[in-house]
């Protein structure tokens, strides 16, 4: 029984280690740098900053500036190995958020050979008021 448990632990560890690192997945879509694009008719920009074990993505629009950092060793992101889509979530805690809040990053390519970058914060305050916000930008690869 112990050997079966040990074998399963090694198999799960190996599969977790085989996952595409966030830094690799994000830079496969957009390398380090700043990119200019649009959100409908508005101009926006996306900045990608990669460190040795983490990647940060920032979206700046006329009304909003928001960022998201993903660490390679974290378990809060996923990579679609077929499409290259990157999704990540982060739990936000604050005393005034009802049952916490979440921040979401999504990066994917579209039919126009652009990368769609989306960062959203989903939150409700203790009174039940919606505090959600988002920023999105489509940039050329």
């Amino acid at each position: 029984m112990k050997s079966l448990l040990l074998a399963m632990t090694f198999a799960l560890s190996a599969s977790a280690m085989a996952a595409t690192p966030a830094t690799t997945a994000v830079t496969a879509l957009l390398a380090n740098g700043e990119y200019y694009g649009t959100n409908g008719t508005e101009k926006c920009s996306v900045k990608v900053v990669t460190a040795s074990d983490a990647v940060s993505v920032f979206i700046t629009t006329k009304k909003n500036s928001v960022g998201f950092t993903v660490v390679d060793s974290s378990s809060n992101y996923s990579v679609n190995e077929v499409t290259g889509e990157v999704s990540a979530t982060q739990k936000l805690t604050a005393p005034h958020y009802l049952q916490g809040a979440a921040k979401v990053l999504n990066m994917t390519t579209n039919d126009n050979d652009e990368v769609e970058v989306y960062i959203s914060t989903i939150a409700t305050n203790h009174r039940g008021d919606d505090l959600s916000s988002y920023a999105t930008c489509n940039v050329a690869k």
Side-chain angles (χ1 to χ4, degrees), residues 5 19 26 34 39 44 64 69 102 126 131:
L5 182 60
V26 170
E34 190 162 4
N39 174 16
C44 55
N64 200 357
T69 299
H126 63 285
L131 302 175

Short mmCIF file of all heavy atoms in Angstrom, two decimals, residues 5 19 26 34 39 44 64 69 102 126 131:
data_model
loop_
_atom_site.label_atom_id
_atom_site.label_comp_id
_atom_site.label_asym_id
_atom_site.label_seq_id
_atom_site.Cartn_x
_atom_site.Cartn_y
_atom_site.Cartn_z
N LEU A 5 1.04 4.25 -2.84
CA LEU A 5 0.88 5.67 -2.50
C LEU A 5 2.10 6.47 -2.93
O LEU A 5 1.98 7.57 -3.47
CB LEU A 5 0.65 5.81 -0.99
CG LEU A 5 0.41 7.22 -0.47
CD1 LEU A 5 -0.82 7.82 -1.15
CD2 LEU A 5 0.23 7.20 1.02
N ALA A 19 4.05 20.52 -16.42
CA ALA A 19 3.19 21.59 -16.91
C ALA A 19 4.04 22.73 -17.46
O ALA A 19 5.14 23.00 -16.99
CB ALA A 19 2.29 22.10 -15.78
N VAL A 26 3.19 32.58 -21.45
CA VAL A 26 2.86 33.99 -21.74
C VAL A 26 3.78 34.53 -22.83
O VAL A 26 3.33 35.17 -23.78
CB VAL A 26 2.92 34.86 -20.47
CG1 VAL A 26 2.84 36.34 -20.82
CG2 VAL A 26 1.79 34.47 -19.53
N GLU A 34 6.22 46.23 -24.58
CA GLU A 34 4.93 46.92 -24.53
C GLU A 34 4.30 46.90 -25.92
O GLU A 34 4.98 47.14 -26.92
CB GLU A 34 5.11 48.37 -24.06
CG GLU A 34 3.79 49.05 -23.76
CD GLU A 34 3.94 50.29 -22.90
OE1 GLU A 34 5.09 50.67 -22.59
OE2 GLU A 34 2.91 50.86 -22.53
N ASN A 39 -9.35 48.35 -27.83
CA ASN A 39 -10.49 47.71 -27.19
C ASN A 39 -11.70 48.38 -27.83
O ASN A 39 -12.11 49.45 -27.39
CB ASN A 39 -10.46 47.91 -25.68
CG ASN A 39 -11.70 47.40 -25.01
OD1 ASN A 39 -12.48 46.64 -25.59
ND2 ASN A 39 -11.93 47.81 -23.77
N CYS A 44 -5.36 51.14 -26.26
CA CYS A 44 -4.92 50.53 -25.00
C CYS A 44 -3.51 49.97 -25.21
O CYS A 44 -3.01 49.94 -26.33
CB CYS A 44 -5.88 49.43 -24.57
SG CYS A 44 -6.13 48.15 -25.82
N ASN A 64 -8.38 52.97 -17.07
CA ASN A 64 -8.02 51.93 -16.13
C ASN A 64 -6.59 51.46 -16.37
O ASN A 64 -6.10 51.48 -17.48
CB ASN A 64 -9.00 50.75 -16.33
CG ASN A 64 -9.06 49.82 -15.17
OD1 ASN A 64 -8.35 49.97 -14.19
ND2 ASN A 64 -9.92 48.83 -15.28
N THR A 69 0.30 39.18 -11.84
CA THR A 69 1.57 38.46 -11.83
C THR A 69 1.32 36.99 -11.56
O THR A 69 0.55 36.64 -10.67
CB THR A 69 2.53 39.03 -10.76
OG1 THR A 69 2.78 40.41 -11.07
CG2 THR A 69 3.84 38.27 -10.72
N ALA A 102 -12.09 37.63 -6.51
CA ALA A 102 -11.17 36.93 -7.39
C ALA A 102 -10.69 37.86 -8.48
O ALA A 102 -11.43 38.74 -8.94
CB ALA A 102 -11.84 35.72 -8.02
N HIS A 126 -19.63 43.98 1.32
CA HIS A 126 -20.43 43.42 2.40
C HIS A 126 -21.90 43.84 2.34
O HIS A 126 -22.74 43.26 2.99
CB HIS A 126 -19.82 43.77 3.77
CG HIS A 126 -19.80 45.24 4.05
ND1 HIS A 126 -18.90 46.09 3.45
CD2 HIS A 126 -20.55 46.01 4.85
CE1 HIS A 126 -19.10 47.32 3.88
NE2 HIS A 126 -20.10 47.30 4.74
N LEU A 131 -18.66 45.28 -7.11
CA LEU A 131 -17.45 46.09 -7.24
C LEU A 131 -16.56 45.59 -8.37
O LEU A 131 -15.40 45.93 -8.45
CB LEU A 131 -16.65 46.05 -5.93
CG LEU A 131 -17.37 46.51 -4.67
CD1 LEU A 131 -16.50 46.30 -3.45
CD2 LEU A 131 -17.76 47.97 -4.80
#
